Amino acid sequence: MAEQPQPISPVKNFFAGGFGGVCLVFVGHPLDTIKVRLQTQPKPQPGQPPLYSGTFDCFRKTLVGEGVRGLYRGMAAPIIGVTPMFAVCFFGFGLGKRLQQRKPDDVLTYPQLFAAGMLSGVFTTVIMAPGERIKCLLQIQAATGETKYNGSLDCAKQLYREAGIRGVYKGTVLTLMRDVPASGMYFMTYEWLKNILTPEGRSVSDLSAARILFAGGLAGIFNWAVAIPPDVLKSRFQTAPPGKYPNGFRDVLRELIREEGVASLYKGFTAVMIRAFPANAACFLGFEVAMKFLNWVAPGL
């Protein structure tokens, strides 16, 4: 069984989740850029080496060719989206827990926590899908040397002009396929680790910063272990020219398996896992610190 503090305050979760999301993006975006470039690099011609031989080669070439700013390319879109997205994410998790409780003090099982986390993934997709689309397009345009979009807002405007709202939300189904099960794993793992790391007779809310960082970091790794294959498909689909994949993710999957094998579904694995621990550790620490601050300054909020 797992112990969760109740009740959930939507307002506090909004601000605390937003702050945690900002921490996550700032720490994790450079390796997210590397991940997307590895996932979307073109297939090399026969006899030619790939554009990037691996995570560290991609990191080196990006840093040498574009400087530190290149690693933070496209960060505006996720930064703009993280406050409402993580607010909705943490609120959705709290709502999912509440919906499964018969009484406010009911303690949920880990499968119930997984289900609550899955609900949060559904909630966040509405905000996440367009932000992911814009981010991926900006990240790969710098790698190809073409400059079609002059920033996140210009990218959104062009997508809407070319294909309407469907163009902005291209890849939503794949974002759902990635985020729903991954969010379930994310929150369930975090709650499980918090309970394991809490000394007997102590409250989960009294965990040290180091233990919160450890629990949050491992939760991020478990999250991405589930999310990587659909994330590869999503990145490829969202950055493809219009009409390339008329049957959606099924065409992307068939092409990847046929041309590059099953291992292609784990492109960017090293970059993802290197990023997952510090980024999500920062997210949960930011969330917990913000919640304690809000409980101190506004206990009745």
Side-chain angles (χ1 to χ4, degrees), residues 218-242:
L218 278 185
I221 287 176
F222 276 81
N223 170 83
W224 278 104
V226 173
I228 288 177
D231 186 64
V232 172
L233 298 177
K234 179 197 70 66
S235 295
R236 184 69 64 97
F237 182 70
Q238 287 186 319
T239 57

Side-chain angles (χ1 to χ4, degrees), residues 247-297:
N247 295 313
F249 73 90
R250 289 172 294 178
D251 286 349
V252 186
L253 180 62
R254 278 194 291 263
E255 180 185 88
L256 278 172
I257 298 294
R258 183 178 65 250
E259 296 184 358
E260 303 177 48
V262 176
S264 64
L265 293 173
Y266 288 89
K267 275 187 173 181
F269 180 86
T270 303
V272 168
M273 289 305 169
I274 292 174
R275 169 187 179 270
F277 192 96
N280 290 283
C283 174
F284 276 111
L285 181 62
F287 174 79
E288 299 287 0
V289 168
M291 282 296 287
K292 285 190 176 183
F293 177 75
L294 289 170
N295 287 332
W296 177 62
V297 298

Side-chain angles (χ1 to χ4, degrees), residues 28-236:
H29 192 80
L31 278 160
D32 187 72
T33 298
I34 302 303
K35 178 206 71 174
V36 170
R37 292 186 177 185
L38 286 170
Q39 290 176 344
T40 59
Q41 66 175 319
K43 184 182 178 183
Q45 296 296 321
Q48 295 294 318
L51 181 61
Y52 307 115
S53 61
T55 298
F56 297 104
D57 181 56
C58 183
F59 180 85
R60 181 183 60 81
K61 287 179 178 177
T62 301
L63 194 61
V64 171
E66 304 169 50
V68 174
R69 290 184 64 182
L71 294 170
Y72 282 92
R73 188 87 54 186
M75 192 174 74
I79 280 287
I80 291 169
V82 289
T83 298
M85 185 194 74
F86 274 83
V88 170
C89 179
F90 280 90
F91 172 76
F93 178 57
L95 178 63
K97 291 192 292 184
R98 183 176 293 176
L99 288 173
Q100 296 179 86
Q101 288 182 313
R102 296 181 179 179
K103 296 180 294 184
D105 58 349
D106 280 351
V107 176
L108 300 182
T109 64
Y110 291 115
Q112 287 176 313
L113 290 172
F114 185 87
M118 289 176 70
L119 181 63
S120 77
V122 174
F123 279 27
T124 56
T125 295
V126 176
I127 301 168
M128 177 71 85
E132 286 279 302
R133 169 99 154 112
I134 292 165
K135 171 182 70 70
C136 289
L137 287 171
L138 291 174
Q139 285 172 329
I140 68 161
Q141 89 165 358
T144 59
E146 300 175 3
T147 307
K148 182 180 180 181
Y149 308 111
N150 295 314
S152 300
L153 186 59
D154 180 57
C155 182
K157 287 179 178 177
Q158 289 196 45
L159 289 174
Y160 185 78
R161 192 182 307 124
E162 292 168 3
I165 196 68
R166 292 187 65 176
V168 178
Y169 274 88
K170 181 180 178 180
T172 298
V173 172
L174 281 165
T175 305
L176 275 170
M177 290 173 60
R178 181 193 69 176
D179 288 351
V180 170
S183 294
M185 182 63 73
Y186 188 51
F187 282 107
M188 182 189 72
T189 302
Y190 180 65
E191 296 289 340
W192 170 61
L193 287 169
K194 280 205 305 180
N195 284 315
I196 287 178
L197 294 170
T198 301
E200 190 174 350
R202 302 289 297 277
S203 170
V204 171
S205 61
D206 295 330
L207 275 180
S208 66
R211 294 188 180 197
I212 291 171
L213 286 169
F214 181 73
L218 278 185
I221 287 176
F222 276 81
N223 170 83
W224 278 104
V226 173
I228 288 177
D231 186 64
V232 172
L233 298 177
K234 179 197 70 66
S235 295
R236 184 69 64 97

